[in-house]
Amino acid sequence: MVGYQDEVWWSRFAQPSMRAWAGGGDPLRLVQRHKRSDDPEPAALACYGVYVPEWDGASMLLRFVRGRPVSHVTTAFLGWAATRMAARGVRVWVMVWDNAPWHVSVEVQAWLRAHNRAVKRRGDGTRILVCGLPTKSPWLNPIEPKWLHGKRATCEPDGEIATMELRQRLCAHYGCENLPAIKQKTA
């Protein structure tokens, strides 16, 4: 099974570039918002995703992150995604992703080797075969347009959007579960 993996930031304030037809009056405008100083919620949400074109219906797996994408969060996401793939009967996941620092880190590479060895030894689960994309070539990853469509579908043209509301809209748009965020390790 080929699955395209990537991370994205969902801003609660920045508006995607869009075009729309407006009626005879004033043109429709997306108003750029700014975070208030008393707003306790983050300005943006980090999210990991896998796009599997061969799956009917829910072809995206999403997990939000508290904080930012780093190596230990990446391994937690990969473990979760591999479990989901195994539940669907996938034996080998050909994972296409870019060369982000948290993808090529020693920690992630060691986790991938250990995971694949454990799956092979047990005889069940999903092995992960990594196919890296060339540097600075996001157009080769078909998940990238999916992110843009999600941003356009969930933006709030004339108001602020709360973190949980944004997560619910995104999960509804992509047809996936709104699971708890993967947490950062505390040092």
Side-chain angles (χ1 to χ4, degrees):
M1 181 74 59
V2 177
Y4 301 90
Q5 193 279 332
D6 197 24
E7 300 81 25
V8 68
W9 286 91
W10 302 101
S11 175
R12 294 177 42 228
F13 302 101
Q15 299 287 4
S17 62
M18 297 177 68
R19 292 182 173 80
W21 292 100
D26 293 331
L28 178 64
R29 302 263 187 235
L30 291 177
V31 179
Q32 186 67 38
R33 303 288 177 198
H34 300 283
K35 185 176 176 177
R36 295 184 328 268
S37 59
D38 63 340
D39 186 352
E41 296 187 14
L45 300 172
C47 178
Y48 281 79
V50 176
Y51 170 54
V52 184
E54 297 175 36
W55 285 348
D56 293 329
S59 60
M60 293 280 281
L61 296 174
L62 293 184
R63 280 303 291 273
F64 294 93
V65 178
R66 285 208 180 125
R68 60 187 182 87
V70 291
S71 297
H72 65 271
V73 176
T74 301
T75 58
F77 173 76
L78 292 176
W80 172 81
T83 302
R84 293 294 172 112
M85 299 258 184
R88 288 183 172 231
V90 175
R91 302 282 297 143
V92 178
W93 169 19
V94 178
M95 181 180 60
V96 180
W97 67 1
D98 56 22
N99 294 317
W102 51 89
H103 293 172
V104 296
S105 71
V106 172
E107 180 180 345
V108 170
Q109 297 305 312
W111 183 91
L112 285 165
R113 280 190 301 278
H115 169 80
N116 287 337
R117 284 182 188 140
V119 168
K120 189 173 182 178
R121 185 175 52 251
R122 284 192 319 262
D124 70 335
T126 299
R127 292 177 53 210
I128 303 172
L129 177 64
V130 176
C131 292
L133 292 171
T135 304
K136 297 182 182 178
S137 57
W139 62 88
L140 294 176
N141 194 341
I143 198 173
E144 295 287 350
K146 299 283 184 195
W147 294 144
L148 181 60
H149 293 302
K151 288 179 180 185
R152 289 179 176 168
T154 59
C155 72
E156 186 64 39
D158 60 353
E160 206 171 281
I161 186 167
T163 302
M164 283 310 296
E165 175 66 20
L166 178 58
R167 285 179 56 163
Q168 290 169 350
R169 287 182 187 188
L170 289 166
C171 290
H173 175 75
Y174 291 114
C176 56
E177 295 177 76
N178 189 357
L179 298 169
I182 300 172
K183 296 179 183 176
Q184 300 271 356
K185 285 182 187 176
T186 55

